[in-house]
Amino acid sequence: MLTRRLLKFTLASVAMLLCWVTFSAEAALEGILLAPPSGQSPQRLLVLLHGYGSNEQDLLPLADYVAQDYAVLSLQAPITLGAHRFAWYRNGTSAQADITGAR
């Protein structure tokens, strides 16, 4: 059972929270940020990247198995495949450009 506080965010707000992380202005990823269940400031960050055709909620149950001082960031891939289905890149000839863009 997920016991952490869920916070919807934009990538820009994560950059403000984690000042040591640098993102470009063009970045428009969304996802979910889970604060440490202890209520303390996070000491570590676990970043979750879902698989092809999934979404940012897919791996959130893993948050219950990490240390209490971790913040968990689950990102949603930028390419929409369908309802609640996303990908980091498309299969086929545009795959390399998509991979570069996702990076």
Side-chain angles (χ1 to χ4, degrees):
M1 168 179 253
L2 190 61
T3 58
R4 296 184 184 213
R5 204 167 22 128
L6 293 173
L7 303 169
K8 283 301 243 181
F9 70 91
T10 64
L11 201 53
S13 63
V14 171
M16 292 184 335
L17 289 171
L18 307 167
C19 60
W20 50 269
V21 178
T22 304
F23 299 104
S24 69
E26 300 84 40
L29 294 177
E30 294 183 4
I32 298 171
L33 177 62
L34 302 176
S38 64
Q40 301 293 324
S41 295
Q43 300 301 306
R44 297 173 179 89
L45 175 67
L46 173 64
V47 178
L48 303 173
L49 302 174
H50 64 77
Y52 188 88
S54 189
N55 61 48
E56 75 280 11
Q57 296 179 7
D58 185 41
L59 299 174
L60 283 180
L62 295 175
D64 288 338
Y65 299 98
V66 298
Q68 297 290 305
D69 61 345
Y70 274 73
V72 177
L73 175 62
S74 184
L75 295 173
Q76 175 182 290
I79 299 169
T80 302
L81 299 176
H84 309 291
R85 297 178 58 235
F86 301 89
W88 298 100
Y89 61 90
R90 290 173 276 244
N91 291 325
T93 58
S94 64
Q96 189 56 52
D98 290 342
I99 292 168
T100 301
R103 190 174 325 134

